[in-house]
């Protein structure tokens, strides 16, 4: 498994998104998924304090057990749905409280990568950065990142970090996939300029880019989108997207690969991407995803593929 740098850390090019833990899958199934990830060379795990209402962190910690020091754990704080007792999500007081809760749930005394889940427009970014910097100095956190940030906020945060001699955000975690290419316009160029990495979320569009959902066919039972209320499926699934999936699957087949390999390798071949944190509910998915980054795509092939799906914005 290739590694990429995340500040001072080294992470596997395919990571594991852990938002199914404690929600769609229980501890026993989480153990199997985590074991499969480690077997497949995945050592980067991305979770958040709000996933499964906190149980994702707990289950991840339990499943890793004594192997914790061999892996890189990324978690997040500051989602709008966090129970913050009236504190502002990006405030120093909330950061101090949230980190202790995450450390306890994960069963560890340090977090490798700590990310602000969503911007908090009510708190100056220098306050959040200042609180995170203290955590880095205290050894509770090794690197920091942000999520759901646009380019203006990225530049602002970088400037404030530099002015205050504070630890900068090393990565931004935003939705990015072959079917959602919004970051290409401004966020990717901002990352390049600032020397930051991009961690794409929903890299498989919740499973659409695995090819298991097909135009004109029933949604397979037991899948994530089958569990979604019908009126919320449009966020991932539409006639246009399913038609694009068909074109992508054909391209992959014509080149001797699968749609899954195309979806993961297309992201992995973007140098700014730090790690493709695909989620999974079963060990065989993890093994397939880990093997999915081996198709080396040139810049012209990446463009050719992107042209099959248009701009990919929503
Ligand atoms: P995803 O990676 O696009 O899709 C994951 C789902 O795809 C799995 O739950 C599984 O669905 C299916 N799948 C995965 N591998 C498969 C395979 N090889 N074959 C068939 N199906 C497969 O979506 P995600 O897990 O939501 O996103 C990745 C990670 O990004 C999350 O886990 C989370 O850590 C992070 N995230 C962050 C934010 C943010 O705001 N920062 C938002 C969303 C997600 P089934 O359930 O059908 O098995």
């Amino acid at each position: 498994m290739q590694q990429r740098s995340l500040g001072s850390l080294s992470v596997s090019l395919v990571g594991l998104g852990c938002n199914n833990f404690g929600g769609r899958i229980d501890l026993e199934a989480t153990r199997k998924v985590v074991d499969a990830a480690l077997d497949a060379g995945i050592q980067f795990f991305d979770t958040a304090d709000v996933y499964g209402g906190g149980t994702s962190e707990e289950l991840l910690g339990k499943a890793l057990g004594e192997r914790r020091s061999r892996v890189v754990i990324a978690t997040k704080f500051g989602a709008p749905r966090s129970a913050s007792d009236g504190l502002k999500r990006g405030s120093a007081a909330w950061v101090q409280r949230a980190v202790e809760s995450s450390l306890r749930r994960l069963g560890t005394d340090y977090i490798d990568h700590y990310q602000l889940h969503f911007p908090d427009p009510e708190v100056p970014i220098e306050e959040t950065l200042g609180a995170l910097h203290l955590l880095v100095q205290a050894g509770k956190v090794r690197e920091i990142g942000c999520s759901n940030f646009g380019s203006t906020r990225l530049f602002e945060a970088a400037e404030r970090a530099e002015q205050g001699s504070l630890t900068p955000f090393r990565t931004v975690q935003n939705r990015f996939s072959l079917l959602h290419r919004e970051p290409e316009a401004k966020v990717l160029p901002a990352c390049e300029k600032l020397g930051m990495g991009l961690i794409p979320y929903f890299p498989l569009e919740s499973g659409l880019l695995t090819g298991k959902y097909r135009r004109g066919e029933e949604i397979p039972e037991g899948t994530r989108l089958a569990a979604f209320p019908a009126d919320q499926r449009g966020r991932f699934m539409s006639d246009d997207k399913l038609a694009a999936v068909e074109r992508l699957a054909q391209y992959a087949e014509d080149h001797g690969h699968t749609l899954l390999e195309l979806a993961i390798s297309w992201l992995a071949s973007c140098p700014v991407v730090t790690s493709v944190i695909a989620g999974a509910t079963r060990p065989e998915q993890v093994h397939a995803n880990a093997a999915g980054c081996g198709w080396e795509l040139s810049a012209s092939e990446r463009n050719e593929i992107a042209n099959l799906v248009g701009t990919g914005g929503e």
Side-chain angles (χ1 to χ4, degrees):
M1 173 71 69
Q2 277 185 57
Q3 306 285 309
R4 290 224 171 132
S5 296
L6 190 171
S8 59
L9 310 172
S10 181
V11 299
S12 50
L13 181 51
V14 177
L16 183 68
C18 301
N19 67 358
N20 289 311
F21 300 178
R24 300 210 53 233
I25 62 172
D26 63 11
L27 178 58
E28 198 186 333
T30 298
R31 284 192 198 282
K32 289 182 184 154
V33 165
V34 168
D35 287 353
L38 294 169
D39 273 358
I42 290 174
Q43 50 74 286
F44 184 48
F45 295 83
D46 181 80
T47 182
D49 56 0
V50 288
Y51 295 164
T55 49
S56 171
E57 289 184 327
E58 270 175 38
L59 269 49
L60 176 62
K62 281 186 183 149
L64 286 170
E66 292 182 356
R67 300 171 295 185
R68 189 267 170 271
S69 60
R70 288 167 34 190
V71 307
V72 174
I73 298 179
T75 192
K76 314 182 196 81
F77 68 96
R81 60 190 187 280
S82 319
S84 54
D85 294 340
L87 292 174
K88 295 198 166 92
R89 298 177 288 107
S91 67
W94 182 247
V95 171
Q96 285 151 16
R97 193 193 293 190
V99 77
E100 296 304 331
S101 302
S102 283
L103 287 168
R104 180 177 42 75
R105 284 190 294 259
L106 285 161
T108 183
D109 55 7
Y110 67 98
I111 289 165
D112 299 280
H113 191 44
Y114 201 36
Q115 304 157 101
L116 171 60
H117 208 152
F118 286 84
D120 184 346
E122 294 184 17
V123 175
I125 194 66
E126 51 270 36
E127 178 175 339
T128 316
L129 285 166
L132 291 169
H133 184 70
L134 291 177
L135 296 180
V136 174
Q137 286 185 318
K140 292 187 181 186
V141 164
R142 295 169 76 187
E143 295 290 358
I144 61 168
C146 57
S147 177
N148 298 298
F149 268 46
S151 58
T152 307
R153 286 189 197 280
L154 291 179
F155 282 116
E156 188 199 358
E159 197 180 309
R160 295 290 184 276
E162 197 178 343
Q163 283 166 350
S165 301
L166 302 171
T167 308
F169 288 137
R170 299 290 188 195
T171 61
V172 56
Q173 185 175 130
N174 283 5
R175 184 172 178 180
F176 184 37
S177 74
L178 259 173
L179 294 179
H180 186 95
R181 290 173 36 223
E182 188 187 342
E184 287 180 343
K186 291 185 177 167
V187 168
L188 271 180
C191 286
E192 278 167 5
K193 202 157 184 185
L194 295 169
M196 292 178 68
L198 174 66
I199 301 177
Y201 74 71
F202 293 145
L204 302 177
E205 291 294 316
S206 279
L208 207 72
L209 284 169
T210 68
K212 65 185 177 185
Y213 305 104
R214 290 293 176 145
R215 197 152 57 149
E217 290 180 14
E218 289 288 310
I219 294 179
E221 270 181 42
T223 57
R224 181 186 284 192
L225 293 189
F228 260 50
D231 63 344
Q232 287 177 33
R233 280 187 202 130
R235 192 172 172 208
F236 297 101
M237 197 188 282
S238 66
D239 285 346
D240 282 354
K241 287 179 191 222
L242 288 169
V245 162
E246 281 174 14
R247 293 193 292 277
L248 292 168
Q250 189 60 55
Y251 182 95
E253 194 184 322
D254 291 347
H255 290 78
H257 290 278
T258 63
L259 174 62
L260 180 72
E261 288 175 279
L262 178 57
I264 292 179
S265 294
W266 187 82
L267 288 171
S269 59
C270 173
V272 173
V273 165
T274 305
S275 180
V276 183
I277 51 163
T281 54
R282 293 202 298 275
E284 54 274 24
Q285 292 179 350
V286 181
H287 282 290
N289 297 347
C293 64
W295 184 359
E296 284 184 26
L297 296 162
S298 65
S300 69
E301 283 171 322
R302 291 188 82 252
N303 285 336
E304 201 183 342
I305 294 158
N307 285 336
L308 292 172
V309 289
T311 58
E314 290 204 320

